[in-house]
Amino acid sequence: NKMKVVSVIIMMINCAYGFTFQATPDYSLEKLFNPQSSGWLGADISTSIHLANNTYVWLWGDTVYGYLEQSNGREVRNMQSMPHSSLAFVQSPPNSQPEFWFRQGDGGPDPFGVFTPQNPTDPNEIYWLVEGIMGPTTDKLVILAQTMLLSSSSFTQLGTDAIVVSNPFEHPSQWVYSTSRISTSNENLSWNSGIGYALDGYFYLIGLGNSNAYLAKISEVDMMNFNWQGVYYWSQGDQWLQNNAFSLVSLFSSDYTEGTLQYHPFLQQWFIILCQAYNGNIDIAYSASPTGPWTKETIYTIPSEYINGTVFFMISFLKTK
């Protein structure tokens, strides 16, 4: 069960000529999410959100829960259950082990995960926690979850739900939250591939549909109140259209359900770091404006031994030099 952490470092070559990228494995961070002897043994998806001071919360999707045991002279994971989400609280710099947290059910972690849909259309709906951000003026935590319908043999995407935690500085056992389906999301269009905040007061959302990345924006107030009529979509004719997701403009080709959208004020660029399960590449897309034009390139090729049926963890940092 191999794990590797990659630190993505953005190097500034010359202000007059632009910048280039360099991605190298960061072995000092590789031990941060080693399996526990008993408890959290690994998970997929992963994104980190700055809560306050030096505290970050990591969101995880399907999580292996159990204990390590010896087999033929090496440690192997003995999985007892797989909750569909978990949390980890990390201090920066990471001078201590993460504090993992599960919502407890009968005899162990609740299999549905940390959050459950409040108005499900089916009792087997689950959340994969994909992206999130703190509201800069409300101090509320927004999480975008890929909403899935679980059956005995498969998962079916239902759309994207927004989860708003009103008291994210409390212990997660005390969190008060509400959920709502983004109205234009469905089995073919999700809005959980990235979320970033701009100084114009809008959250910018990266969507995915028909192997293309799309763009929407919503004010912080409308997001916190689940006012999906207030969403604007970047549409044909290079214009923002409200409550209309039927003439979307592709930002770039994409099959990435998971990404991180962030703005770098020194470079004056928006960045999306893209990594998908069983894909051998880590890509980056960047643009001076959320509406584009976007440039996408591969910045790292994952060694084959880490993507063939094993878990690959990625921690991304943006730095200038």
XYZ file of all heavy atoms in Angstrom, residues 47-143:
776
model
N -9.041 17.363 -0.180
C -8.748 18.779 -0.377
C -8.600 19.390 1.000
O -9.132 18.866 1.986
C -9.855 19.488 -1.175
O -9.417 20.785 -1.573
C -11.122 19.644 -0.351
N -7.877 20.488 1.105
C -7.669 21.130 2.397
C -8.218 22.549 2.362
O -8.163 23.235 1.333
C -6.181 21.153 2.776
O -5.433 21.886 1.820
N -8.768 22.996 3.503
C -9.383 24.309 3.631
C -8.826 24.977 4.875
O -8.799 24.376 5.957
C -10.918 24.194 3.752
C -11.497 23.413 2.571
C -11.555 25.582 3.837
C -12.924 22.944 2.814
N -8.378 26.220 4.732
C -7.870 26.978 5.870
C -9.048 27.459 6.709
O -9.893 28.213 6.241
C -7.045 28.161 5.377
C -6.434 28.960 6.488
N -6.264 30.323 6.408
C -5.953 28.586 7.705
C -5.705 30.763 7.516
N -5.505 29.725 8.314
N -9.106 26.998 7.963
C -10.187 27.417 8.856
C -9.842 28.709 9.578
O -10.527 29.722 9.430
C -10.490 26.307 9.872
C -11.160 25.048 9.338
C -11.401 24.055 10.484
C -12.478 25.372 8.651
N -8.801 28.688 10.384
C -8.401 29.860 11.152
C -6.991 29.654 11.673
O -6.573 28.524 11.919
C -9.359 30.105 12.319
N -6.277 30.773 11.862
C -4.912 30.724 12.372
C -4.099 29.709 11.568
O -3.952 29.849 10.365
C -4.911 30.419 13.869
C -5.640 31.491 14.664
O -5.532 32.671 14.342
N -6.371 31.092 15.674
N -3.597 28.660 12.218
C -2.782 27.677 11.506
C -3.497 26.330 11.372
O -2.842 25.298 11.226
C -1.439 27.482 12.218
C -1.605 26.928 13.624
O -2.678 27.020 14.207
N -0.538 26.364 14.164
N -4.829 26.324 11.414
C -5.593 25.089 11.364
C -6.234 24.899 9.996
O -6.869 25.814 9.468
C -6.691 25.069 12.438
O -6.084 25.213 13.723
C -7.478 23.769 12.382
N -6.066 23.716 9.446
C -6.665 23.334 8.176
C -7.514 22.090 8.393
O -7.158 21.214 9.181
C -5.592 23.027 7.121
C -4.824 24.241 6.659
C -3.842 24.811 7.459
C -5.094 24.827 5.422
C -3.143 25.932 7.038
C -4.393 25.947 4.991
C -3.420 26.495 5.807
O -2.733 27.609 5.397
N -8.634 22.032 7.676
C -9.435 20.816 7.677
C -9.293 20.160 6.312
O -9.376 20.821 5.280
C -10.918 21.087 8.001
C -11.564 22.050 7.021
C -11.701 19.764 8.052
N -9.034 18.864 6.327
C -8.952 18.074 5.102
C -10.259 17.311 4.939
O -10.764 16.717 5.894
C -7.780 17.086 5.169
C -6.457 17.726 4.892
C -5.786 18.611 5.686
C -5.636 17.520 3.736
N -4.602 18.969 5.095
C -4.488 18.319 3.901
C -5.765 16.742 2.595
C -3.474 18.360 2.956
C -4.759 16.775 1.643
C -3.622 17.582 1.832
N -10.787 17.348 3.728
C -12.000 16.596 3.388
C -11.599 15.344 2.634
O -10.795 15.396 1.704
C -12.933 17.440 2.515
C -13.242 18.865 2.964
C -14.132 19.543 1.927
C -13.902 18.878 4.340
N -12.199 14.218 3.008
C -11.900 12.957 2.359
C -13.189 12.305 1.875
O -14.259 12.505 2.453
C -11.196 12.000 3.328
C -9.914 12.536 3.883
C -9.734 13.175 5.074
C -8.618 12.502 3.264
N -8.426 13.533 5.239
C -7.712 13.130 4.136
C -8.148 11.986 2.056
C -6.361 13.260 3.841
C -6.799 12.115 1.766
C -5.923 12.746 2.647
N -13.046 11.510 0.830
C -14.164 10.720 0.320
C -14.179 9.344 0.961
O -14.013 9.207 2.183
N -14.368 8.302 0.161
C -14.404 6.937 0.703
C -13.160 6.682 1.546
O -12.026 6.877 1.089
C -14.478 5.924 -0.432
C -15.854 5.891 -1.084
O -16.828 6.319 -0.438
O -15.949 5.444 -2.238
N -13.375 6.238 2.763
C -12.305 6.133 3.755
C -12.199 4.701 4.261
O -13.214 4.076 4.619
C -12.577 7.075 4.945
O -12.672 8.423 4.463
C -11.462 6.984 5.975
N -10.985 4.187 4.274
C -10.743 2.840 4.807
C -10.535 2.950 6.313
O -9.628 3.644 6.787
C -9.511 2.197 4.144
C -9.270 0.808 4.724
C -9.699 2.120 2.634
N -11.366 2.254 7.079
C -11.316 2.276 8.540
C -11.066 0.856 9.039
O -11.704 -0.098 8.586
C -12.636 2.805 9.110
C -12.673 2.905 10.610
C -12.246 4.055 11.267
C -13.136 1.842 11.389
C -12.276 4.150 12.642
C -13.174 1.921 12.764
C -12.745 3.085 13.395
O -12.773 3.170 14.767
N -10.099 0.721 9.952
C -9.782 -0.604 10.481
C -8.500 -0.562 11.268
O -8.252 0.368 12.035
N -7.626 -1.540 11.036
C -6.372 -1.583 11.771
C -5.302 -2.250 10.910
O -5.596 -2.951 9.926
C -6.535 -2.329 13.100
C -7.042 -3.748 12.969
C -6.160 -4.816 12.811
C -8.404 -4.028 13.016
C -6.616 -6.120 12.687
C -8.874 -5.323 12.897
C -7.975 -6.362 12.732
O -8.429 -7.648 12.605
N -4.048 -2.007 11.276
C -2.909 -2.617 10.604
C -2.559 -3.934 11.292
O -2.627 -4.042 12.521
C -1.703 -1.686 10.637
C -1.813 -0.370 9.863
C -0.557 0.473 10.066
C -2.057 -0.622 8.380
N -2.173 -4.906 10.496
C -1.733 -6.171 11.058
C -0.555 -6.691 10.248
O -0.324 -6.268 9.105
C -2.867 -7.190 11.060
C -3.398 -7.549 9.684
C -4.556 -8.539 9.754
O -5.008 -8.842 10.866
O -4.983 -9.011 8.691
N 0.204 -7.578 10.834
C 1.366 -8.149 10.184
C 0.951 -9.331 9.310
O 0.154 -10.171 9.711
C 2.393 -8.619 11.227
C 3.033 -7.484 12.014
C 3.949 -6.638 11.145
O 4.639 -7.157 10.253
N 3.957 -5.333 11.385
N 1.505 -9.372 8.094
C 1.255 -10.496 7.191
C 2.495 -10.705 6.333
O 2.910 -9.805 5.594
C 0.034 -10.208 6.304
O -0.162 -11.256 5.373
N 3.106 -11.853 6.491
C 4.315 -12.195 5.726
C 5.402 -11.140 5.890
O 6.070 -10.742 4.941
C 3.975 -12.362 4.245
C 3.025 -13.517 3.985
O 3.121 -14.560 4.638
N 2.102 -13.339 3.045
N 5.546 -10.662 7.112
C 6.626 -9.753 7.426
C 6.384 -8.297 7.063
O 7.302 -7.481 7.137
N 5.158 -7.944 6.706
C 4.881 -6.539 6.404
C 3.505 -6.166 6.925
O 2.667 -7.031 7.187
C 4.960 -6.269 4.905
C 3.923 -6.994 4.068
C 4.184 -6.801 2.593
N 3.137 -7.393 1.759
C 2.092 -6.722 1.283
N 1.976 -5.427 1.565
N 1.183 -7.304 0.537
N 3.285 -4.850 7.080
C 2.001 -4.370 7.555
C 0.991 -4.305 6.417
O 1.312 -3.826 5.329
C 2.138 -2.981 8.187
C 2.820 -2.980 9.536
C 2.799 -1.611 10.181
O 2.829 -0.606 9.438
O 2.736 -1.530 11.423
N -0.188 -4.805 6.666
C -1.275 -4.724 5.692
C -2.504 -4.146 6.401
O -2.631 -4.217 7.627
C -1.618 -6.091 5.077
C -0.444 -6.637 4.303
C -2.070 -7.073 6.143
N -3.400 -3.562 5.609
C -4.598 -2.960 6.158
C -5.716 -4.005 6.269
O -6.012 -4.709 5.313
C -5.066 -1.795 5.280
C -4.091 -0.638 5.256
C -4.589 0.502 4.394
N -4.613 0.137 2.977
C -4.910 0.998 2.007
N -5.216 2.246 2.300
N -4.912 0.607 0.745
N -6.304 -4.073 7.441
C -7.468 -4.924 7.663
C -8.683 -3.990 7.758
O -8.919 -3.358 8.784
C -7.321 -5.746 8.943
C -8.426 -6.780 9.099
O -9.592 -6.498 8.865
N -8.040 -7.978 9.516
N -9.446 -3.896 6.684
C -10.559 -2.958 6.620
C -11.773 -3.512 7.358
O -12.230 -4.615 7.087
C -10.930 -2.651 5.168
C -12.029 -1.607 5.032
S -12.422 -1.194 3.315
C -13.294 -2.711 2.824
N -12.293 -2.719 8.292
C -13.488 -3.086 9.027
C -14.737 -2.414 8.463
O -15.832 -2.963 8.558
C -13.323 -2.706 10.504
C -12.139 -3.379 11.172
C -12.270 -4.898 11.174
O -13.194 -5.447 11.786
N -11.352 -5.569 10.497
N -14.570 -1.232 7.895
C -15.696 -0.529 7.297
C -15.162 0.537 6.349
O -13.961 0.840 6.349
C -16.596 0.114 8.368
O -15.880 1.100 9.085
N -16.057 1.116 5.530
C -15.667 2.177 4.604
C -16.727 3.279 4.631
O -17.637 3.307 3.801
C -15.474 1.663 3.176
C -15.049 2.770 2.202
S -14.748 2.192 0.520
C -13.124 1.435 0.719
N -16.632 4.200 5.607
C -17.513 5.367 5.557
C -17.208 6.193 4.305
O -16.073 6.230 3.842
C -17.164 6.127 6.843
C -15.804 5.642 7.218
C -15.715 4.232 6.752
N -18.220 6.860 3.777
C -18.058 7.552 2.501
C -17.431 8.933 2.632
O -17.225 9.617 1.612
C -19.396 7.630 1.780
C -19.898 6.280 1.350
N -19.228 5.492 0.450
C -20.984 5.562 1.744
C -19.883 4.356 0.267
N -20.942 4.369 1.052
N -17.098 9.342 3.866
C -16.333 10.584 4.045
C -15.751 10.608 5.449
O -16.240 9.933 6.358
C -17.206 11.825 3.814
O -18.267 11.885 4.747
N -14.696 11.393 5.604
C -14.077 11.607 6.907
C -13.374 12.959 6.875
O -13.255 13.588 5.818
C -13.080 10.483 7.252
O -12.021 10.432 6.313
N -12.904 13.416 8.032
C -12.205 14.690 8.151
C -10.853 14.464 8.805
O -10.650 13.494 9.541
C -13.001 15.680 9.006
C -14.440 16.009 8.597
C -15.076 16.915 9.640
C -14.479 16.654 7.225
N -9.925 15.384 8.541
C -8.647 15.409 9.257
C -8.311 16.867 9.535
O -8.427 17.721 8.650
C -7.541 14.751 8.440
N -7.908 17.147 10.764
C -7.520 18.502 11.156
C -6.005 18.530 11.306
O -5.415 17.733 12.037
C -8.217 18.902 12.455
C -9.712 19.035 12.297
C -10.537 17.928 12.449
C -10.285 20.249 11.952
C -11.906 18.037 12.283
C -11.653 20.373 11.780
C -12.465 19.267 11.950
N -5.389 19.472 10.593
C -3.932 19.537 10.493
C -3.469 20.926 10.882
O -4.076 21.927 10.483
C -3.465 19.214 9.059
C -1.950 19.308 8.942
C -3.945 17.832 8.641
N -2.403 20.971 11.661
C -1.784 22.240 12.014
C -0.657 22.547 11.029
O 0.028 21.649 10.556
C -1.226 22.192 13.440
C -2.250 21.842 14.501
C -3.384 22.836 14.572
O -3.171 24.049 14.630
N -4.615 22.335 14.547
N -0.481 23.806 10.705
C 0.576 24.219 9.786
C 1.541 25.154 10.513
O 1.100 26.124 11.145
C -0.029 24.929 8.574
O 0.972 25.355 7.689
N 2.861 24.853 10.443
C 3.444 23.708 9.743
C 3.075 22.399 10.434
O 2.816 22.390 11.638
C 4.949 23.972 9.817
C 5.115 24.831 11.029
C 3.884 25.685 11.094
N 3.042 21.302 9.642
C 2.560 20.029 10.196
C 3.578 19.387 11.132
O 4.312 18.479 10.777
C 2.335 19.168 8.946
C 3.274 19.735 7.924
C 3.358 21.202 8.209
N 3.614 19.896 12.382
C 4.578 19.365 13.350
C 3.957 18.312 14.257
O 4.568 17.886 15.226
C 5.168 20.503 14.190
C 4.089 21.410 14.770
O 2.930 21.031 14.824
N 4.499 22.594 15.190
N 2.718 17.911 13.961
C 2.076 16.845 14.718
C 1.192 16.056 13.767
O 0.890 16.500 12.659
C 1.252 17.413 15.876
O 0.235 18.269 15.380
N 0.761 14.890 14.208
C -0.066 14.049 13.366
C -1.473 14.637 13.239
O -1.968 15.297 14.159
C -0.141 12.638 13.941
C 1.158 11.871 13.797
C 1.563 11.715 12.337
O 0.812 11.202 11.517
N 2.765 12.175 12.012
N -2.121 14.424 12.112
C -3.486 14.927 11.946
C -4.431 14.317 12.976
O -4.230 13.210 13.455
C -3.857 14.477 10.528
C -2.557 14.188 9.845
C -1.631 13.720 10.912
N -5.486 15.066 13.291
C -6.569 14.552 14.112
C -7.702 14.130 13.184
O -8.345 14.966 12.553
C -7.067 15.610 15.086
C -8.252 15.159 15.929
C -8.847 16.280 16.758
O -8.232 17.356 16.825
O -9.952 16.073 17.305
N -7.912 12.830 13.062
C -8.950 12.314 12.176
C -10.290 12.282 12.915
O -10.344 12.063 14.135
C -8.594 10.911 11.686
C -7.370 10.875 10.825
C -6.141 10.501 11.339
C -7.437 11.245 9.484
C -5.009 10.475 10.553
C -6.302 11.221 8.691
C -5.093 10.838 9.225
N -11.361 12.497 12.134
C -12.677 12.501 12.757
C -13.690 11.802 11.868
O -13.733 12.019 10.652
C -13.155 13.929 13.031
C -14.380 13.965 13.904
C -14.418 13.863 15.260
C -15.738 14.081 13.475
N -15.724 13.900 15.711
C -16.548 14.043 14.622
C -16.341 14.204 12.227
C -17.936 14.124 14.574
C -17.727 14.284 12.160
C -18.506 14.255 13.322
N -14.497 10.951 12.511
C -15.587 10.242 11.853
C -16.879 10.537 12.615
O -16.864 10.626 13.840
C -15.369 8.723 11.871
C -14.105 8.259 11.217
C -12.920 8.208 11.930
C -14.098 7.858 9.890
C -11.751 7.767 11.336
C -12.936 7.414 9.291
C -11.759 7.377 10.009
N -17.981 10.644 11.902
C -19.279 10.667 12.577
C -19.602 9.238 12.988
O -19.552 8.317 12.177
C -20.363 11.226 11.659
C -21.717 11.394 12.350
C -22.622 12.305 11.540
N -22.905 11.750 10.228
C -23.980 11.009 9.935
N -24.860 10.742 10.883
N -24.184 10.547 8.723
N -19.908 9.072 14.256
C -20.073 7.727 14.789
C -21.495 7.196 14.561
O -22.485 7.930 14.661
C -19.761 7.708 16.288
C -18.301 7.973 16.603
C -17.377 6.949 15.970
O -17.548 5.741 16.146
N -16.384 7.425 15.228
N -21.552 5.909 14.216
C -22.819 5.214 14.096
C -22.884 4.101 15.115
O -22.266 4.180 16.187
N -23.585 3.052 14.817
C -23.689 1.910 15.719
C -22.422 1.065 15.634
O -22.183 0.380 14.641
C -24.911 1.057 15.378
C -26.213 1.810 15.597
O -26.222 2.721 16.452
O -27.195 1.492 14.904
N -21.579 1.143 16.676
C -20.400 0.300 16.746
C -19.230 0.760 15.903
O -18.271 0.007 15.711
N -19.252 1.973 15.397
C -18.133 2.464 14.590
C -18.559 3.646 13.741
O -19.640 4.210 13.928
N -17.709 4.041 12.773
C -18.045 5.187 11.932
C -19.344 4.957 11.160
O -19.610 3.852 10.676
C -16.852 5.282 10.978
C -15.730 4.599 11.683
C -16.384 3.501 12.468
N -20.150 6.011 11.067
C -21.378 5.929 10.290
C -21.011 5.680 8.832
O -20.222 6.426 8.252
C -22.157 7.238 10.416
C -23.563 7.139 9.847
O -23.697 6.693 8.693
O -24.515 7.521 10.548
N -21.547 4.646 8.199
C -21.161 4.342 6.818
C -21.519 5.453 5.836
O -20.911 5.559 4.772
C -21.922 3.048 6.508
C -23.034 3.004 7.492
C -22.516 3.662 8.719
N -22.499 6.303 6.184
C -22.869 7.388 5.284
C -21.861 8.533 5.330
O -21.878 9.395 4.454
C -24.273 7.907 5.609
C -25.364 7.045 5.046
C -25.808 5.938 5.742
C -25.915 7.318 3.811
C -26.806 5.122 5.222
C -26.912 6.520 3.275
C -27.361 5.407 3.987
N -20.984 8.557 6.332
C -19.951 9.575 6.378
C -20.275 10.712 7.314
O -21.146 10.621 8.184
N -19.568 11.827 7.119
C -19.647 12.967 8.026
C -20.984 13.683 7.918
O -21.573 14.096 8.924
C -18.497 13.951 7.733
C -18.599 15.192 8.618
C -17.144 13.265 7.938
N -21.478 13.848 6.699
C -22.723 14.572 6.456
C -23.722 13.649 5.758
O -23.330 12.748 5.016
C -22.493 15.803 5.573
C -21.460 16.751 6.087
C -20.158 16.722 5.601
C -21.779 17.695 7.060
C -19.208 17.601 6.069
C -20.833 18.576 7.544
C -19.537 18.535 7.043
N -24.998 13.930 5.953
C -26.043 13.222 5.227
C -26.980 14.242 4.586
O -27.215 15.315 5.147
C -26.864 12.302 6.155
O -27.397 13.081 7.232
C -25.980 11.198 6.711
N -27.489 13.956 3.392
C -28.423 14.877 2.733
C -29.656 15.100 3.611
O -30.201 14.159 4.188
C -28.791 14.153 1.444
C -27.672 13.185 1.209
C -27.211 12.768 2.564
N -30.102 16.369 3.706
C -31.246 16.671 4.562
C -32.580 16.486 3.850
O -33.610 16.352 4.503
C -31.102 18.099 5.112
C -29.916 18.235 6.060
C -29.746 19.629 6.607
O -30.172 20.607 5.996
N -29.090 19.741 7.764
N -32.558 16.516 2.532
C -33.787 16.289 1.770
C -33.508 15.294 0.646
O -33.629 15.615 -0.542
C -34.320 17.608 1.203
C -34.708 18.590 2.286
O -35.687 18.377 2.993
N -33.932 19.654 2.417
N -33.155 14.067 0.998
C -32.773 13.089 -0.030
C -33.972 12.652 -0.857
O -35.102 12.578 -0.361
C -32.201 11.932 0.778
C -32.903 12.021 2.101
C -33.087 13.485 2.356
N -33.706 12.375 -2.120
C -34.738 11.798 -2.978
C -34.752 10.282 -2.875
O -35.691 9.635 -3.335
C -34.508 12.201 -4.440
O -33.190 11.779 -4.839
C -34.608 13.718 -4.602
N -33.688 9.731 -2.256
C -33.567 8.288 -2.084
C -32.785 8.033 -0.797
O -31.803 8.731 -0.519
C -32.840 7.657 -3.289
C -32.852 6.137 -3.255
O -32.088 5.556 -2.452
O -33.616 5.541 -4.033
N -33.164 7.057 0.014
C -32.447 6.813 1.280
C -31.019 6.347 1.092
O -30.244 6.352 2.065
C -33.297 5.741 1.965
C -34.085 5.095 0.874
C -34.345 6.168 -0.132
N -30.626 5.961 -0.110
C -29.264 5.491 -0.361
C -28.362 6.572 -0.949
O -27.301 6.268 -1.476
C -29.296 4.280 -1.290
C -29.897 3.058 -0.632
O -29.574 2.746 0.518
N -30.792 2.382 -1.325
N -28.756 7.840 -0.857
C -27.888 8.934 -1.300
C -26.720 9.093 -0.330
O -26.897 9.015 0.886
C -28.667 10.248 -1.360
C -29.614 10.363 -2.519
C -30.255 11.742 -2.593
O -29.683 12.697 -2.027
O -31.328 11.864 -3.209
N -25.548 9.321 -0.896
C -24.358 9.579 -0.080
C -23.626 10.798 -0.638
O -23.873 11.234 -1.764
C -23.393 8.382 -0.067
C -22.854 8.126 -1.486
C -24.060 7.143 0.523
C -21.594 7.305 -1.524
N -22.714 11.334 0.184
C -21.883 12.456 -0.230
C -20.423 12.022 -0.341
O -19.897 11.366 0.566
C -21.944 13.579 0.806
C -23.189 14.426 0.779
C -23.588 15.111 1.930
C -23.960 14.559 -0.361
C -24.718 15.908 1.936
C -25.094 15.362 -0.369
C -25.475 16.027 0.782
O -26.594 16.819 0.780
N -19.779 12.423 -1.443
C -18.324 12.454 -1.517
C -17.912 13.903 -1.391
O -18.313 14.755 -2.203
C -17.827 11.879 -2.855
C -17.962 10.393 -2.951
C -18.027 9.490 -1.939
C -18.027 9.627 -4.162
N -18.135 8.213 -2.422
C -18.133 8.268 -3.787
C -17.996 9.955 -5.528
C -18.215 7.229 -4.727
C -18.089 8.934 -6.458
C -18.189 7.591 -6.062
N -17.117 14.229 -0.362
C -16.706 15.612 -0.112
C -15.554 15.952 -1.039
O -14.471 15.386 -0.925
C -16.300 15.778 1.355
C -17.312 15.261 2.392
C -16.789 15.518 3.795
C -18.686 15.870 2.184
N -15.780 16.895 -1.950
C -14.812 17.144 -3.009
C -14.094 18.482 -2.844
O -12.881 18.563 -2.959
C -15.487 17.086 -4.397
C -14.465 17.301 -5.507
C -16.187 15.749 -4.595
N -14.826 19.557 -2.585
C -14.215 20.881 -2.530
C -14.863 21.692 -1.425
O -15.941 21.350 -0.918
C -14.400 21.606 -3.884
C -13.140 21.674 -4.725
C -12.158 22.690 -4.199
O -11.847 22.669 -2.987
O -11.664 23.504 -4.990
N -14.212 22.796 -1.053
C -14.773 23.652 -0.020
C -14.003 24.944 0.132
O -12.894 25.108 -0.403
N -14.605 25.882 0.875
C -13.993 27.190 1.071
C -14.669 27.854 2.260
O -15.836 27.573 2.571
C -14.160 28.066 -0.208
C -13.243 29.280 -0.177
C -15.611 28.466 -0.404
C -13.209 30.034 -1.507
N -13.931 28.711 2.938
C -14.516 29.521 3.999
C -15.111 30.788 3.392
O -14.519 31.411 2.512
C -13.456 29.892 5.031
C -13.083 28.775 5.977
S -14.433 28.323 7.124
C -14.608 29.845 8.068
N -16.306 31.169 3.872
C -16.886 32.432 3.459
C -16.150 33.587 4.108
O -16.104 33.673 5.343
N -15.524 34.472 3.332
C -14.660 35.505 3.917
C -15.392 36.536 4.763
O -14.774 37.164 5.627
C -14.005 36.159 2.695
C -14.895 35.832 1.556
C -15.518 34.508 1.867
N -16.684 36.742 4.559
C -17.416 37.724 5.351
C -18.380 37.085 6.329
O -18.817 37.745 7.282
C -18.196 38.695 4.443
O -19.220 37.987 3.749
C -17.269 39.356 3.435
N -18.727 35.822 6.126
C -19.692 35.156 7.001
C -19.060 34.205 7.995
O -19.703 33.797 8.966
C -20.711 34.360 6.162
O -20.009 33.371 5.391
C -21.487 35.280 5.229
N -17.791 33.816 7.758
C -17.112 32.824 8.597
C -17.872 31.504 8.644
O -17.818 30.771 9.634
C -16.889 33.340 10.020
C -15.689 34.265 10.111
O -14.824 34.207 9.214
O -15.625 35.053 11.074
N -18.570 31.190 7.561
C -19.207 29.891 7.430
C -18.402 29.041 6.450
O -17.743 29.569 5.553
C -20.651 30.036 6.947
C -21.568 30.740 7.940
C -22.985 30.824 7.405
C -23.912 31.515 8.405
N -25.311 31.604 7.887
N -18.458 27.748 6.641
C -17.737 26.803 5.798
C -18.683 26.267 4.729
O -19.774 25.776 5.050
C -17.187 25.660 6.641
C -16.556 24.471 5.905
C -15.333 24.905 5.103
C -16.184 23.371 6.900
N -18.269 26.363 3.460
C -19.039 25.821 2.348
C -18.311 24.601 1.809
O -17.108 24.677 1.496
C -19.220 26.850 1.222
C -20.001 26.236 0.057
C -19.930 28.084 1.740
N -18.994 23.496 1.689
C -18.434 22.260 1.133
C -19.287 21.855 -0.058
O -20.523 21.872 0.007
C -18.413 21.140 2.182
C -17.475 21.501 3.341
C -17.986 19.810 1.546
C -17.549 20.541 4.508
